[in-house]
């Protein structure tokens, strides 16, 4: 296992299209092809996380026959799996387990699949419910219909008049703004939580996946959102014996947090590495000036922690009243509700991993107590202390539900709200990132690498990142030129303005994603405004405000596009250095590197769906065959050199820092003379390097032995002048 390459399967890009890439990926140096979810989902789904049937490989991709043909190409496959939830499709009859549970009620074997409160509240009715509800013949006999929705009628109630029939069902149709009567994925009521802690549900939902592994078609798994499960550790203990190959979890670690040591998996999907690598190329000296410019333009003077708390409180009130009510009921005291809310808002991480009936670990207990100490400053300390004790040692349902609620509050409150409200330097506003932590030193990076599991995944871009690696590479440059940035954005804002809380993010995004179409730019701003929830949200649209966004986007590009392009051209002299440096570092640091589709050359994408657009693989094939000296040509050459070296390098090769001065980061992998060894040298903080006159007489001392630069063919040994080592590229990838 040396590396992975992630592709997003869609109805237009299925197994056959993936198979056509295998030859190219092999030439690029890729070790394994990493697929988005492959089980049957909604027919038009562009992502596959809305699974409808665990018993089938997705037909739109080519079905199991297509998967077998892909596997026959000879590149081992890794598959993304979705154990936490299934979709509530339209019509609902497309999910056979959900249909059976709603029809037959709590006594149904299918009801064990879902975390229901009976009767199950289904929030989907609009204001026309009285006119649109009807009963007619359909799937499996008489069916209750509402527009395109279909619901089973409880046997024996078919003859009742509509009002009485509705009352007699095992479910309750409710207005779409109500909280659902089931655990869901975050705030998405169309994704219904699964109870894979039930052995029968576990077996049923994994049978096809396990068979594909046993037959050698799938060689590894990526587990989506394990924090949503009742017992992530227990789930992984059941899963691991079935997965002899790599097993990664999409676990979001907050600054300094590590994966629980008792999880039987190879590591995370790499957001921790992504954020650390990004910070390595950010200059902390720009912090104060960038925060001042952000505050001046947006009017936001609060620090990030205040914004973060307010955002979590906002989403708790907006999305999670039902979840808080259920948790408070489990605790057995309605008077504790405010303390529950404040404790959830104060949680510093996605989950503390407390299991009912077990003594909490010291780390878990410390996390809860840390949150309780903060929450106690905001409401009744005695109530907070009681809630903290109950979620550590109280009723099993309360302990588990608190753990399962923390993640959604964190994801929606931080990832999808706070990060759109506080953004002095938006490259830091990434999943699992801390936007007020401006930069890390090379020493801090080395310390982080020393603690990484050898087979954890590393990455720079994913289908869920807020912005692609090269967008972040451009934004990182602003940390080195905050005064020039302030002058530029001042001039643009003077020419075109709309909403101060959105405009400053718009200017960062326009510059960093340039050139970008008006449709892409507008789509991003609409999503950003809805996520920020300061003027509109997904639940509370405002057509006039949204028209204002569209007008702002058009005027910004018309009036300032030339100036933005000119500024970006200056930034790109340094962003190229950051881009190539972070790529070389990520591909050769400890862990198994992943390349997200297309990012072997530059990609200036924003948040999904922008980062899931079709990839021009033909252009990448041509560049790989004949790389030029463009940014794209250099990036694919760096990628291919690093991935090729990974094929020869032991995944557990020792990591050691190499002293490289202020404007570089360097490390070695392996031991010279004992198999393949590598040294990576990457330029960092290139603006500052230029301002001090370049490398001058600065040198680097390489580990013993002769080293060949895979990018230039030059050979080096001992003490080498940095100006010579990095004369052709801002990075060196050395093999010895």
């Amino acid at each position: 296992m040396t590396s992975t390459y992630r592709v997003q399967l869609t109805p237009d890009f299925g197994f056959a299209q993936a198979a056509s890439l295998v030859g190219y990926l092999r030439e690029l140096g890729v070790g394994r092809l990493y697929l988005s979810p492959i089980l049957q989902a909604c027919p038009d789904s562009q992502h596959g996380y809305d699974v409808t049937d665990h018993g089938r490989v997705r037909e739109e991709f080519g079905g199991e026959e297509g998967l077998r043909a892909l596997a026959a190409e000879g590149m081992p496959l890794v598959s993304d799996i979705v154990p936490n939830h299934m979709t509530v499709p339209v019509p609902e009859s497309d999910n056979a387990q959900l249909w059976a549970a709603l029809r037959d009620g709590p006594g149904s074997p299918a009801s064990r699949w879902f975390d229901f409160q009976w009767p199950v509240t289904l929030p989907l009715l609009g204001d026309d419910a009285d006119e649109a509800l009807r009963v007619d013949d359909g799937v499996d006999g008489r069916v209750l219909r509402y527009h395109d929705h279909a619901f089973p009628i409880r046997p024996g109630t078919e003859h009742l008049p509509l009002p009485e029939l509705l009352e007699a069902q095992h479910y309750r149709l409710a207005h779409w703004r109500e909280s659902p009567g089931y655990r869901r994925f975050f705030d998405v009521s169309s994704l219904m939580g699964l109870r894979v802690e039930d052995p029968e549900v576990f077996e049923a939902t994994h049978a096809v996946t396990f068979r594909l592994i046993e037959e050698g078609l799938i060689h590894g798994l990526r587990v989506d959102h394990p924090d949503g499960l009742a017992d992530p550790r227990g789930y992984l203990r059941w899963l691991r014996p079935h997965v002899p190959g790599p097993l990664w979890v999409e676990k979001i670690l907050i600054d300094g947090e590590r994966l629980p040591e008792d999880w039987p998996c190879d590591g995370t999907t790499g957001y921790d590495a992504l954020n650390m690598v990004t910070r390595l190329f950010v200059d902390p000296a720009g912090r104060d000036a960038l925060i001042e410019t952000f505050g001046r333009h947006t009017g936001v003077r609060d620090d990030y922690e205040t914004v973060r708390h307010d955002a979590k409180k906002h989403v708790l009130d907006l999305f999670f009243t039902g979840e808080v009510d259920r948790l408070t009921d489990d605790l057995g005291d309605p008077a504790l509700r405010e303390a529950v809310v404040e404790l959830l808002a104060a949680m510093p991480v996605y989950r503390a991993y407390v299991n009912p009936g077990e003594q909490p670990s010291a780390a878990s207990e410390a996390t809860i107590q840390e949150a309780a100490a903060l929450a106690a400053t905001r409401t009744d300390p005695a109530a907070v202390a009681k809630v903290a004790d109950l979620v550590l040692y109280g009723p099993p349902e309360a302990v588990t539900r608190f753990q399962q609620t923390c993640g959604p509050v964190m994801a929606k409150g931080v990832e999808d709200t706070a990060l759109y409200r506080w953004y002095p330097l938006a490259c830091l506003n990434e999943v699992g990132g801390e936007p007020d932590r401006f930069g890390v030193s090379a020493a801090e990076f080395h310390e982080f690498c020393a603690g990484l599991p050898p087979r954890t995944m590393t990455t720079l871009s994913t289908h869920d990142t807020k912005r692609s690696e090269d967008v972040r590479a451009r934004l990182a440059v602003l940390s080195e030129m905050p005064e020039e940035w302030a002058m530029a954005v001042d001039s643009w804002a003077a020419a075109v303005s709309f909403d101060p809380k959105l405009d400053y993010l718009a200017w960062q995004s326009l510059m960093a994603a340039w050139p970008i179409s008006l449709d892409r730019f507008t789509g991003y701003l609409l999503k950003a405004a809805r996520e920020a929830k300061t003027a509109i949200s997904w639940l509370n649209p405002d057509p006039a405000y949204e028209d204002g966004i569209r007008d702002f986007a058009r005027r910004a590009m018309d009036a300032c596009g030339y100036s933005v392009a000119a500024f970006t051209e200056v930034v790109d002299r340094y962003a190229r250095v950051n881009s190539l440096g972070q790529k070389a570092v990520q591909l050769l640091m400890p862990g198994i590197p992943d390349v997200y589709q297309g990012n072997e050359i530059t990609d200036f994408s924003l948040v999904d769906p922008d980062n899931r657009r079709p990839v021009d693989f033909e252009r990448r094939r041509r560049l790989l065959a004949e790389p030029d000296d463009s940014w794209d040509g250099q990036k694919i050459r760096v990628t291919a050199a690093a991935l090729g070296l990974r094929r020869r390098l032991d995944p557990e090769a020792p990591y050691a820092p190499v002293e490289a001065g202020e404007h570089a980061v360097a490390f070695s992998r392996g031991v010279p003379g004992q198999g393949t060894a590598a040294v990576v040298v990457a330029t960092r903080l290139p603006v500052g390097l230029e301002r001090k006159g370049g490398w001058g007489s600065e040198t680097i001392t390489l580990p013993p032995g002769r080293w060949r630069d895979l990018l230039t063919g030059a050979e080096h040994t001992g003490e080498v002048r940095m100006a010579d080592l990095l004369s052709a590229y801002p990075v060196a990838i050395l093999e010895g």
Side-chain angles (χ1 to χ4, degrees):
M1 181 170 58
T2 62
S3 64
T4 61
Y5 189 98
R6 166 80 178 210
V7 294
Q8 285 297 114
L9 299 170
T10 71
D12 296 321
F13 189 94
F15 298 136
Q17 289 75 19
S20 72
L21 293 181
V22 169
Y24 161 72
L25 296 179
R26 194 173 281 121
E27 291 179 22
L28 186 63
V30 171
R32 299 194 182 206
L33 181 57
Y34 168 23
L35 306 174
S36 59
I38 64 171
L39 297 184
Q40 187 61 48
C42 294
D44 59 352
S45 174
Q46 298 295 304
H47 50 77
Y49 293 97
D50 45 0
V51 176
T52 58
D53 185 354
H54 292 86
R56 288 185 293 150
V57 175
R58 191 167 171 190
E59 293 177 3
E60 292 79 16
F61 297 164
E64 190 165 321
E65 181 180 349
L67 178 64
R68 291 182 180 278
L70 171 57
E73 293 292 324
M75 180 167 282
L77 303 178
V78 172
S79 177
D80 196 342
I81 62 170
V82 192
N84 178 65
H85 54 266
M86 290 183 77
T87 196
V88 182
V90 180
E92 286 70 8
S93 55
D94 286 350
N95 184 331
Q97 296 299 328
L98 174 62
W99 186 266
L102 295 179
R103 181 190 62 212
D104 300 330
S108 164
S111 71
R112 300 173 61 173
W113 284 51
F114 307 105
D115 188 2
F116 281 155
Q117 279 183 307
W118 298 97
V120 184
T121 299
L122 302 175
L124 50 87
L125 298 179
D127 296 328
D128 64 342
D130 290 341
E131 291 77 19
L133 276 169
R134 65 189 189 280
V135 177
D136 60 21
D137 289 320
V139 180
D140 196 21
R142 302 285 280 177
V143 172
L144 181 63
R145 297 191 183 276
Y146 175 70
H147 294 294
D148 293 333
H149 296 275
F151 307 98
I153 292 177
R154 181 178 181 176
T157 66
E158 302 90 341
H159 64 285
L160 297 174
L162 182 60
E164 295 176 30
L165 182 144
L166 290 172
E167 288 293 325
Q169 302 312 306
H170 294 297
Y171 52 86
R172 182 178 71 88
L173 302 183
H175 192 271
W176 66 272
R177 288 183 180 272
E178 284 196 38
S179 295
Y182 49 85
R183 182 175 58 84
R184 53 187 168 166
F185 174 72
F186 297 163
D187 64 328
V188 185
S189 294
S190 61
L191 296 177
M192 182 177 288
L194 283 170
R195 296 186 63 251
V196 292
E197 66 271 21
D198 184 303
E200 291 186 18
V201 178
F202 176 85
E203 291 297 332
T205 53
H206 291 74
V208 167
T209 297
F210 292 162
R211 178 173 58 78
L212 296 174
I213 293 173
E214 290 166 4
E215 293 181 20
L217 300 179
I218 299 295
H219 294 81
L221 296 178
R222 177 258 198 198
V223 177
D224 183 64
H225 188 47
D227 277 346
L229 306 178
D231 179 8
R233 181 193 63 192
Y235 169 77
L236 291 171
R237 286 178 175 173
W238 285 358
L239 189 65
R240 177 83 266 187
H242 297 274
V243 189
L247 177 59
W248 293 295
V249 292
E250 188 216 17
K251 167 59 190 161
I252 311 303
L253 299 171
I254 303 301
D255 193 25
E257 184 186 9
R258 293 287 187 176
L259 196 68
E261 293 182 357
D262 57 0
W263 281 22
C265 64
D266 290 289
T268 76
T269 51
Y271 285 107
D272 48 345
L274 179 157
N275 283 297
M276 186 60 72
V277 173
T278 295
R279 294 182 191 124
L280 186 60
F281 294 87
V282 169
D283 187 354
R287 173 193 172 98
D288 291 346
L290 288 170
I291 291 177
E292 192 282 328
T293 301
F294 165 72
R296 180 163 52 82
H297 277 272
T298 63
V300 178
R301 296 293 182 179
D302 289 332
D303 62 13
Y304 173 63
E305 285 303 319
T306 300
V307 171
R308 183 175 179 266
H309 171 262
D310 291 348
K312 292 179 80 174
K313 286 288 294 292
H314 188 168
V315 302
L316 276 159
D317 180 60
L318 189 64
F319 298 131
F320 298 119
T321 56
E323 284 81 355
V324 172
D325 289 343
R326 291 181 72 180
L327 178 54
T328 305
D329 288 344
D330 289 340
L331 294 173
D333 186 351
L336 296 176
R337 193 179 195 285
E338 185 178 349
V340 168
V341 167
E342 289 294 353
L343 186 62
L344 285 167
M347 282 291 291
V349 293
Y350 279 70
R351 187 162 175 155
Y353 305 106
V354 179
N355 292 309
E358 294 183 13
Q359 174 63 33
S361 70
S364 298
E365 194 168 46
T367 298
I368 297 292
Q369 295 303 340
E370 175 190 344
L374 181 58
T377 67
R378 295 168 173 150
T379 190
D380 179 12
V384 171
K386 184 175 181 180
V387 171
D389 184 71
L390 287 171
V391 300
L392 283 166
Y393 306 106
E397 296 82 2
V399 172
T400 298
R401 197 174 309 282
F402 181 81
Q403 295 294 317
Q404 288 181 293
T405 306
C406 288
V409 173
M410 193 77 165
K412 298 307 298 182
V414 178
E415 283 181 41
D416 294 342
T417 304
L419 296 187
Y420 288 92
R421 294 182 179 183
W422 204 90
Y423 45 85
L425 186 62
C427 63
L428 300 173
N429 291 45
E430 199 46 81
V431 178
E434 294 292 296
D436 59 346
R437 186 176 181 192
F438 283 69
V440 296
S441 66
E444 290 174 294
F445 176 76
H446 293 316
E447 182 181 5
F448 170 80
C449 287
L452 279 178
R455 295 179 184 269
T456 192
M457 183 179 282
T458 69
T459 191
L460 290 178
S461 299
T462 79
H463 63 289
D464 275 338
T465 40
K466 302 299 183 185
R467 43 195 62 80
S468 68
E469 60 202 62
D470 293 314
V471 167
R472 296 199 307 275
R474 281 174 166 172
L475 290 168
V477 174
L478 304 185
S479 69
E480 293 197 81
M481 43 192 298
E483 292 82 11
E484 294 90 334
W485 166 249
M487 291 176 61
V489 79
D490 285 352
S491 69
W492 303 334
V496 182
S497 62
F498 172 59
D499 179 350
K501 288 184 169 57
L502 180 67
D503 293 0
Y504 190 65
L505 182 61
W507 295 121
Q508 288 190 65
S509 304
L510 184 60
M511 185 282 293
W514 190 268
I516 186 172
S517 70
L518 178 59
D519 283 348
R520 286 178 58 210
F521 184 45
T522 302
Y524 172 74
L525 294 183
L526 286 167
K527 179 166 184 173
R530 290 164 181 153
E531 299 286 31
K533 306 170 191 65
T534 52
I536 59 172
S537 70
W538 299 103
L539 289 179
N540 297 300
D542 180 342
Y545 183 90
E546 292 164 15
D547 285 344
I549 289 177
R550 295 183 180 94
D551 179 63
F552 168 82
R554 178 187 55 76
R555 291 186 295 120
M557 295 187 73
D558 287 348
C560 304
Y562 179 83
S563 176
V564 170
F567 187 86
T568 305
E569 186 176 359
V570 173
V571 166
D572 279 354
R573 290 164 46 191
Y574 313 105
R576 180 193 298 221
V577 176
N578 291 343
S579 168
L580 300 182
Q582 64 186 11
K583 200 69 173 177
V585 167
Q586 180 252 330
L587 293 178
L588 284 159
M589 67 190 284
I592 304 300
D594 177 58
V595 176
Y596 180 61
Q597 59 179 27
N599 280 258
E600 58 269 33
I601 69 172
T602 58
D603 176 75
F604 301 102
S605 295
L606 299 170
V607 74
D608 70 280
D610 194 58
N611 60 10
R612 303 178 189 181
R613 288 170 294 136
V615 175
D616 184 353
F617 284 109
E618 285 308 309
R619 179 162 186 267
R620 287 157 176 79
R621 289 180 196 271
R622 293 194 300 271
L623 272 174
L624 180 61
E626 297 183 25
D628 54 30
D629 285 332
S630 68
W631 187 349
D632 285 340
Q634 290 190 344
K635 190 176 181 187
I636 203 167
R637 183 174 286 173
V638 166
T639 302
L643 292 179
L645 181 52
R646 288 303 299 238
R647 282 179 166 175
R648 300 183 291 277
L649 190 67
D650 183 344
E652 300 192 28
Y655 175 94
V658 175
E659 179 58 44
E662 178 186 3
H663 289 283
V665 60
F667 57 84
S668 67
R669 300 293 311 279
V671 180
Q674 299 180 26
T676 299
V679 170
V680 175
V681 183
T683 305
R684 57 191 293 262
L685 309 183
V687 179
L689 176 64
E690 180 180 85
R691 286 173 177 167
K692 79 170 192 178
W695 293 112
S697 60
E698 192 170 336
T699 64
I700 184 172
T701 301
L702 300 176
R706 297 195 64 82
W707 299 92
R708 178 174 174 269
D709 191 333
L710 300 181
L711 300 175
T712 66
E715 293 195 353
H716 304 281
T717 185
E719 188 176 6
V720 183
R721 294 179 69 245
M722 292 289 277
D724 294 336
L725 182 66
L726 303 177
S727 60
Y729 287 80
V731 300
I733 298 175
L734 311 177
E735 182 174 4

